Amino acid sequence: MARRLTQNLNSAYFEAANHLRPSRARKRIVAYVESFDDIAFWRFILDDYEDDTRFFEIKLPSRKNLGKGKRQALMNLLHADQLGYSMIACVDADYDYLMQDTLEESRFINHSPYVIHTFAYAIESYQCYAPSLHRAVVTATLNDRPTIDFEAFLSEYSKIIWPLFVWNIWCYRHDKYKSFSMMDFCGFIGFKMINTRDPEESLGLLRRRVNQKMAWLQRHFPEAKSSYPTLRTELQEKLGVTPETTYLFIQGHTLFEKVVLPLLDPICAMLRKEREREIKLLAVHAQQRQCELLGYQHSVMPIEMVLRKNTGFKNAPLLQRVHGRIEAMLAANSNEQQATMENQ
């Protein structure tokens, strides 16, 4: 019985519920997301589209199963015939955006007007958006002294891993992923630590690892000689993946945990110590020093927490594609409603 009730929760159900509300009441659009972590992100995005005619309610697909993943969110509960204007799904793109139509699930995610995906790999991609990182560091340390050029670092990092990234997509597109899986790829592109005094040293080590794996792939897959350049061009010209922005399309967990945190953690530690030394130097007496230090330490926060709440990606070019997808869905519904009224 419970399963039958769950299956009946589709767009038509919520549309019918909207018709039971007063005519001037705002219509509800239910947006299902993958996990608790995604709720704040999609609330930030969907806020722009609420007005006096509609509002969004963001929900998890199941109260009984809290597992993460769009396969569960989409395939277990939100089948294609359940989605519609009044019930949509908001998911991480993962590799499905880059796979395009090569897999059934990828085709559904890319073409269903009622699936809104991130285009970047995941919400972590936006939380680690390079132009927002300096402000995140300032929030975490209350110290605005410039350190590393984060945009330049992630641009150079992206250019280094770009050719290996194309190889990884090639392996998935040609059913060779067992030879070079996403996990294998992530093992080559992460850092255990980054020398923030000389970041080029860390980038140089990464460059050598990438070149070694590239040579191995070229030897083992000579058939890619003609198709690899074609894929590289498609990724750049059709899908908007550039050598400078590759970091936005790699696994979100790897970017967050193995690239950005190893970069920011030591910088934040250095800036906090610098600020604490300044307080000690300027304090007139011991009691003032202790009070100022305690006040400072209570005001700062871990950089990981700051990044999890980061919303400094609002002007990210890739996010405009997300907005475009939402706007297309809303416009299509408006046109449909107008046509219905004209036919009555």
Side-chain angles (χ1 to χ4, degrees), residues 38-168:
D38 301 325
I39 293 175
F41 174 85
W42 286 107
R43 168 47 58 197
F44 178 75
I45 301 299
L46 295 173
D47 267 347
D48 290 344
Y49 299 98
E50 292 191 338
D51 55 25
D52 57 355
T53 67
R54 60 175 173 261
F55 71 96
F56 292 88
E57 181 183 353
I58 302 174
K59 303 176 68 172
L60 295 176
S62 171
R63 293 184 180 181
K64 294 182 179 180
N65 189 336
L66 299 181
K68 180 177 173 63
K70 63 176 174 288
R71 179 173 294 275
Q72 175 195 327
L74 291 176
M75 302 307 168
N76 288 358
L77 290 176
L78 307 182
H79 301 295
D81 59 346
Q82 290 182 276
L83 296 175
Y85 175 74
S86 294
M87 190 174 88
I88 65 175
C90 298
V91 300
D92 289 340
D94 294 354
Y95 266 7
D96 285 303
Y97 171 55
L98 305 178
M99 291 300 102
Q100 287 293 291
D101 296 344
T102 57
L103 300 172
E104 181 181 355
E105 185 175 326
S106 303
R107 188 181 307 113
F108 173 52
I109 288 170
N110 283 307
H111 294 296
S112 171
Y114 306 112
V115 176
I116 311 301
H117 67 76
T118 53
F119 286 88
Y121 186 94
I123 64 172
E124 290 94 341
S125 309
Y126 290 106
Q127 291 167 346
C128 296
Y129 182 53
S132 72
L133 294 183
H134 176 70
R135 180 176 293 180
V137 168
V138 173
T139 301
T141 66
L142 303 183
N143 190 335
D144 196 27
R145 183 172 70 81
T147 53
I148 290 176
D149 185 335
F150 299 122
E151 293 184 58
F153 179 90
L154 283 174
S155 176
E156 184 63 22
Y157 169 80
S158 293
K159 287 187 284 187
I160 292 171
I161 68 170
W162 159 250
L164 193 59
F165 172 80
V166 178
W167 265 111
N168 193 222

Side-chain angles (χ1 to χ4, degrees), residues 7 37 61-62 99 105 132 135 147 152 173 214 230 253 334:
Q7 290 174 336
D37 296 336
S62 171
M99 291 300 102
E105 185 175 326
S132 72
R135 180 176 293 180
T147 53
R173 289 255 190 128
M214 287 279 294
T230 303
H253 175 76
S334 178

Side-chain angles (χ1 to χ4, degrees), residues 1 48 70 86 104 177 218 281 284 318 334:
M1 179 66 176
D48 290 344
K70 63 176 174 288
S86 294
E104 181 181 355
Y177 59 90
Q218 289 166 353
L281 180 64
V284 177
L318 202 60
S334 178

